[in-house]
Amino acid sequence: MPSGKNASPWKKIQDRDAEREVKREAVLRTAAQLFNEKGFHATSLDEVAERLNVSKPTLYYYVKNKDEILFECVRIGLEKVQRSASEAGASNGAAIDKLIAAMRAYAEIVTMDFGMCLIRVGEDPLPAESRKKLRALKAKIDNEFRSMIKQGIAEGSIVKCDPKVTAFLLAGALSWIGRWYQEEGGLTPIEIADQAVSLILDGLRERGSSARRVRERASAVRTAA
């Protein structure tokens, strides 16, 4: 703060705005954590205020109501996924590598507060107009994934498949991580993301001599039966 007789005890407008944004994000993040733990309808603004050590009226300086909080939490989660998919799609290299980068980021994001809120709560509790806006963001993510899949099919790095169905399946599998992930579960988000991508792309089937032995054992079991 400047010194001297003209020094002002009030912060500059830019500093006040930056401080407000930091506090607003803290309100949103804390609410997202509670939504993830208890559910949207079971969480009250009193609980959000209590966890932040502020009064309930203080919250209204940063948000209008609980619906706005959920809208913002889901929006942030969607924008994180959309941004990571867009960056992956715009990168250099084969489409399969772009898709892997996008999938990996998606899997990590849904283990974080806003991404988890996107999956565990989503837009369903919100009014129709809010749901419409959020679903438009979902459509952008879907288009990013479809575009990478189509590019991969064209260049030969991805097998021929229906891009729409494939994009839906990938998003569904990756989203479900946000349902069961627990921070104390033993695996980091990055480790989970790597395993998820590997399993989705490579499958569970053994290859080579190991695969032949599995088929032979299965055949022997059926014959014995």
Side-chain angles (χ1 to χ4, degrees):
M1 182 179 293
S3 59
K5 63 181 179 180
N6 293 323
S8 171
W10 280 272
K11 295 180 179 180
K12 293 180 180 179
I13 292 176
Q14 301 94 315
D15 293 337
R16 290 202 302 271
D17 289 345
E19 184 178 276
R20 183 181 184 278
E21 281 306 304
V22 168
K23 291 180 178 178
R24 185 172 188 271
E25 182 175 343
V27 170
L28 297 177
R29 188 177 298 280
T30 299
Q33 291 167 354
L34 282 164
F35 293 161
N36 294 336
E37 294 167 15
K38 302 182 60 178
F40 175 70
H41 295 296
T43 299
S44 69
L45 289 184
D46 291 296
E47 291 172 298
V48 177
E50 182 180 359
R51 186 168 288 192
L52 286 165
N53 297 316
V54 300
S55 66
K56 183 178 177 180
T58 300
L59 297 182
Y60 292 112
Y61 179 66
Y62 304 100
V63 293
K64 294 178 182 177
N65 50 45
K66 201 165 76 163
D67 278 359
E68 184 190 40
I69 292 177
L70 179 59
F71 176 87
E72 287 299 304
C73 290
V74 175
R75 179 189 63 79
I76 292 169
L78 284 169
E79 288 186 349
K80 285 178 178 291
V81 175
Q82 195 274 328
R83 191 181 309 116
S84 64
S86 179
E87 289 174 354
S91 63
N92 296 322
I96 186 63
D97 295 325
K98 299 179 183 181
L99 185 61
I100 289 171
M103 291 170 64
R104 191 172 185 270
Y106 195 128
E108 288 186 61
I109 290 167
V110 298
T111 66
M112 301 173 185
D113 294 328
F114 294 122
M116 191 179 291
C117 187
L118 161 66
I119 304 305
R120 293 191 178 184
V121 184
E123 75 274 12
D124 286 347
L126 294 171
E129 188 58 32
S130 295
R131 295 199 305 269
K132 183 178 179 181
K133 291 176 182 177
L134 293 172
R135 286 170 183 171
L137 282 173
K138 283 188 174 182
K140 288 184 179 180
I141 296 170
D142 181 56
N143 287 334
E144 294 280 3
F145 273 79
R146 289 193 205 186
S147 178
M148 285 182 275
I149 293 166
K150 289 176 183 176
Q151 182 185 342
I153 294 170
E155 71 184 18
S157 65
I158 295 176
V159 297
K160 290 184 179 180
C161 58
D162 184 314
K164 177 180 177 180
V165 172
T166 305
F168 282 167
L169 286 171
L170 293 180
L174 296 169
S175 293
W176 204 252
I177 294 170
R179 295 268 181 190
W180 54 256
Y181 172 74
Q182 296 291 333
E183 190 173 355
E184 64 275 12
L187 291 175
T188 67
I190 292 176
E191 289 170 335
I192 290 172
D194 286 343
Q195 286 199 37
V197 171
S198 177
L199 284 170
I200 290 169
L201 293 183
D202 298 332
L204 296 172
R205 187 190 303 277
E206 279 282 3
R207 278 125 178 116
S209 59
S210 296
R212 284 194 298 273
R213 287 196 297 271
V214 169
R215 288 195 296 272
E216 288 168 359
R217 285 198 298 269
S219 177
V221 168
R222 286 195 298 271
T223 301

